[in-house]
């Protein structure tokens, strides 16, 4: 066990509580200190949880520069679970807290020959010997990658990418003292299901997956639920029994690749039985988009943000988006990395009735910030150069309290709740300059964001006047945006245009004393 020096280092990109674009917003307030957890370290996004809150501390797992599989916390304590295994960021450990309160860690080499685990004997300072998980089922290539331990009731499920490089699992009734035989979750004769996000919710395990690697073809996003010994779609339709491989396309298709290119799943959160899934899509290799699907009696799917290109430098992995993760306590909030100007920066995205509003968490950074992961009320991420997954030069950083919502924009308001027939609307933004984007949204009853018009206006001396698009008379939500951040919104009543008013007058029939008009 070693103790590293953990410095309170202020990252160059600071927390912009005021929001807005760099040129238009006031100088951001100082950020909470950023802690360097590992000077060289990396993780992938399919072996989870890669970091957890444990005994009042934030605990992290990563692959070190020398290939060691590491565990450490925000106090600077470190332990090498498997020294010099392999320098490959697919190998990061995933954590599980046993019923007796002790910590377990699971990991493997990338497409390794076995899946290993250890159980802590004293916090994270001392660990028992390395043990191995059950052997893969027979059939196909036998590899191990991406462990995901999850407990439902008294049963520990351990999922991984195993036989025939598809999702495989085993169970333990006694927190790893004994194991069932391993079984395949999906039919290996179909497209391989290697990339899966798992989330426990009550007595259920939700799954979200894509088919194969993006380089192998365009995939949609699928979802299903393990409940007891059955496997179900979200609406309760049974699609299989646990232990009998199901078709890779048997679940709900929540996103079709015809929408905006093939997809790669990134995260899954379940709140009150309703799943939310985020994923990257690829209209082109250089144009990634973050999209989100959520269940609200039916699947509602929408774009969240433009994500830019891959952050991987060699060009071998053109689908390595900066990364996106949902807030586990609020799936209407996400933390994402995307290219802003010339650099990959972190942003906090919050869903509003007018669209997803993005506020910067890092700003003008000297090096990339990628693969964010919320943990213990803070945000952890990789920071630095990334030539490839076996040659990463990233540090592992953590900012306590980074998941706190930024302060609302001040000094910005829409001056009136109604407009005249010239459709002119005045916006006041005393502390800002530049271009405002005005969005008009029609209220819906199903929670969908129905954008019906947009306009732009330049601020001059703290005010801007915009001419709203021609729309049918009625009450709309009008919001003011700068970059991708919503600054303010207001209900605005738009009157009928002169031509519409004339048409309405011509269509009016007068009801006289003799009663209503005849049909």
């Amino acid at each position: 066990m070693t103790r590293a020096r953990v410095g309170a280092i202020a990252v160059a990109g600071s927390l912009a509580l005021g929001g807005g674009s760099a040129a238009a917003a006031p100088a951001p307030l100082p950020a909470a200190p950023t802690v360097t957890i590992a000077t060289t370290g990396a993780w992938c996004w399919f072996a989870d949880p890669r970091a957890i809150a444990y005994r009042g501390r934030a605990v992290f797992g990563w692959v070190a520069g020398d290939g060691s599989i590491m565990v450490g916390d925000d106090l600077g304590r470190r332990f090498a679970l498997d020294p010099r295994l392999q320098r490959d960021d697919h190998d990061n450990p995933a954590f599980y807290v046993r019923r007796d309160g002790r910590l377990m860690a699971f990991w493997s080499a990338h497409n390794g020959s076995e899946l290993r685990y250890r159980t802590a004997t004293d916090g994270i300072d001392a660990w028992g010997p390395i043990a191995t998980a059950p052997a893969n089922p027979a059939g196909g290539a036998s590899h191990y990658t991406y462990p995901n331990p999850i407990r439902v009731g008294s049963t520990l499920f351990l999922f991984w990418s195993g036989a025939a490089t598809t999702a495989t699992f085993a169970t333990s009734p006694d927190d790893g003292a004994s194991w069932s035989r391993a079984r395949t979750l999906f039919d290996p004769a179909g497209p391989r299901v290697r990339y899966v996000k798992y989330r426990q919710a009550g007595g259920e395990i939700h799954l979200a997956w894509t088919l194969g690697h993006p380089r192998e073809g365009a995939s949609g996003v699928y979802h299903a639920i393990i409940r007891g010994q059955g496997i179900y779609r979200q609406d309760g339709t049974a699609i299989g029994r646990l232990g009998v491989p199901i078709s890779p396309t048997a679940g709900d298709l929540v996103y079709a690749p015809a929408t905006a290119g093939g997809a790669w799943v990134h995260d899954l959160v379940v709140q009150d039985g309703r799943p939310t899934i985020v994923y990257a899509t690829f209209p082109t290799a250089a144009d990634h988009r973050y999209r989100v699907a959520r269940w609200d009696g039916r699947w509602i799917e929408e774009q969240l943000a433009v994500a830019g290109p891959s952050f991987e430098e060699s060009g071998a992995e053109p689908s390595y988006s900066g990364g996106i993760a949902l807030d586990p306590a609020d799936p209407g909030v996400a933390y994402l990395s995307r290219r802003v100007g010339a650099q990959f920066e972190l942003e906090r995205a919050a869903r509003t009735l007018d669209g997803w509003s993005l506020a910067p968490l890092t700003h003008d950074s000297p090096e990339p910030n990628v693969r964010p992961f919320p943990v213990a009320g803070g945000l952890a991420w990789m920071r630095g150069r990334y030539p490839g997954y076996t040659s990463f030069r990233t540090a592992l950083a953590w900012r306590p309290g980074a998941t706190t919502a930024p302060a609302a924009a001040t000094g910005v308001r829409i001056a009136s709740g109604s407009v005249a027939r010239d459709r002119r609307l005045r916006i006041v933004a005393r502390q800002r300059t530049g271009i405002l984007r005005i969005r008009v949204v029609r209220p819906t009853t199903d929670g969908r964001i129905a954008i019906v018009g947009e306009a732009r206006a330049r601020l001059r001396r703290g005010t801007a006047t915009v001419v709203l698009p021609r729309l049918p008379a009625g009450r709309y939500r009008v919001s003011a945006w700068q970059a991708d951040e919503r600054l303010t919104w207001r209900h605005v009543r738009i009157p009928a245009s002169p031509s519409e008013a004339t048409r309405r007058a011509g269509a009016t029939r007068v009801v006289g004393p003799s009663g209503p008009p005849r049909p």
Side-chain angles (χ1 to χ4, degrees):
M1 177 72 193
T2 61
R3 181 179 294 271
R5 180 179 180 270
V6 180
I9 304 170
V11 72
S14 55
L15 181 62
L17 296 180
S21 67
L29 297 176
T34 296
V35 176
T36 298
I37 299 298
T39 54
T40 305
W43 54 29
C44 69
W45 73 98
F46 287 109
D48 272 331
R50 69 200 95 157
I52 61 169
Y54 180 65
R55 294 185 178 178
R57 310 309 319 172
V59 173
F60 312 88
W62 69 92
V63 183
D66 66 355
S68 295
I69 308 304
M70 299 296 298
V71 57
D73 69 7
D74 56 331
L75 293 178
R77 294 180 294 182
R78 305 286 182 266
F79 189 91
L81 295 164
D82 200 343
R84 301 181 183 275
L85 173 66
Q86 181 188 47
R87 181 170 177 156
D88 188 315
D89 69 14
H90 295 70
D91 302 355
N92 70 267
F95 297 111
Y96 164 72
V97 180
R98 292 164 46 110
R99 283 172 287 171
D100 64 7
R102 290 187 292 160
L103 193 62
M104 296 181 77
F106 297 82
W107 71 93
S108 75
H110 185 189
N111 292 327
S113 60
E114 60 185 13
L115 197 161
R116 303 174 180 178
Y117 65 95
R118 296 180 77 167
T119 302
T121 58
D122 178 23
I124 65 168
D125 296 314
W127 294 73
I130 292 177
T132 57
N136 275 316
S142 182
H143 299 307
Y144 297 83
T145 316
Y146 307 137
N148 281 258
I150 292 177
R151 185 174 76 232
V152 175
S154 60
T155 301
L156 168 61
F157 285 78
L158 179 61
F159 298 93
W160 68 90
S161 171
T165 59
T166 196
T168 303
F169 74 98
T171 59
S172 172
D174 46 25
D175 280 345
S178 63
W179 292 96
S180 71
R181 64 180 178 86
R183 292 171 286 177
T184 302
L185 192 58
F186 295 94
D187 185 353
R192 64 177 184 149
V193 182
R194 178 174 173 82
Y195 305 106
V196 186
K197 302 302 295 185
Y198 305 88
R199 183 70 68 166
Q200 178 266 340
E204 303 176 337
I205 299 175
H206 288 244
L207 321 171
W209 69 92
T210 40
L211 306 177
H213 191 284
R215 71 169 68 96
E216 299 167 2
S219 172
V221 178
Y222 298 85
H223 171 269
I225 303 170
I226 296 172
R227 183 184 302 128
Q229 293 300 305
I231 306 176
Y232 302 87
R233 293 186 180 137
Q234 181 64 30
D235 66 2
T237 302
I239 58 175
R241 298 286 296 171
L242 196 59
V244 179
I246 65 171
S247 166
T249 58
D252 285 326
L253 177 63
V254 303
Y255 168 82
T259 305
W264 211 353
V265 68
H266 274 251
D267 201 11
L268 164 67
V269 164
V270 182
Q271 187 177 66
D272 300 326
R274 297 192 298 267
T276 300
I277 309 166
V278 287
Y279 38 93
T281 67
F282 313 105
T284 70
D287 179 17
H288 301 189
R289 307 293 178 95
Y290 293 131
R291 298 185 69 92
V292 58
R294 61 188 178 90
W295 177 266
D296 192 8
R298 58 176 174 168
W299 288 104
I300 298 174
E301 200 278 339
E302 62 200 19
Q303 180 170 299
L304 192 155
V306 174
S310 170
F311 72 90
E312 195 263 359
E313 298 172 19
S314 75
E317 297 289 351
S319 300
Y320 274 16
S321 309
I324 183 169
L326 292 164
D327 190 311
D330 183 357
V333 172
Y335 307 94
L336 60 91
S337 165
R338 62 173 184 161
R339 192 166 69 182
V340 178
Q343 192 57 279
F344 279 86
E345 304 284 6
L346 300 179
E347 294 174 297
R348 181 186 189 273
R351 190 181 192 274
T352 76
L353 293 178
D354 305 302
W356 285 85
S357 177
L358 276 58
L361 293 172
T362 62
H363 186 274
D364 290 338
S365 300
E367 51 194 353
N369 303 276
V370 297
R371 293 187 181 166
F373 188 81
V375 57
L379 193 67
W381 72 93
M382 293 160 48
R383 182 179 64 194
R385 297 282 305 280
Y386 189 90
Y389 61 75
T390 61
S391 55
F392 52 84
R393 302 175 194 169
T394 50
L396 195 66
W398 181 62
R399 183 179 295 167
T403 57
T404 302
T410 59
V412 182
R413 62 186 176 88
I414 295 170
S416 175
S418 63
V419 296
R421 288 186 177 180
D422 62 5
R423 308 188 317 283
R424 290 181 180 274
L425 189 68
R426 191 166 68 95
I427 298 95
V428 178
R430 298 296 185 194
Q431 299 178 10
R432 293 176 182 265
T433 61
I435 302 296
L436 292 181
R437 180 163 50 94
I438 309 304
R439 177 176 292 176
V440 185
V441 170
R442 174 177 51 81
T444 63
T445 57
D446 61 4
R448 293 180 184 270
I449 299 168
I451 301 172
V452 294
E454 289 194 338
R456 292 178 182 271
R458 180 176 293 278
L459 284 162
R460 290 182 174 87
R461 297 181 180 179
T463 64
T465 300
V466 63
V467 178
L468 297 180
R470 292 188 180 275
L471 294 166
R475 191 168 180 255
Y476 295 86
R477 291 178 60 95
V478 176
S479 51
W481 299 68
Q482 203 159 47
D484 289 311
E485 183 188 13
R486 189 186 70 167
L487 305 179
T488 190
W489 74 275
R490 183 169 184 166
H491 282 119
V492 173
R493 184 166 295 280
I494 297 178
S497 65
S499 58
E500 184 183 5
T502 301
R503 286 195 305 270
R504 287 187 175 184
T508 302
R509 302 180 68 182
V510 178
V511 179
S514 58
R518 292 187 296 271

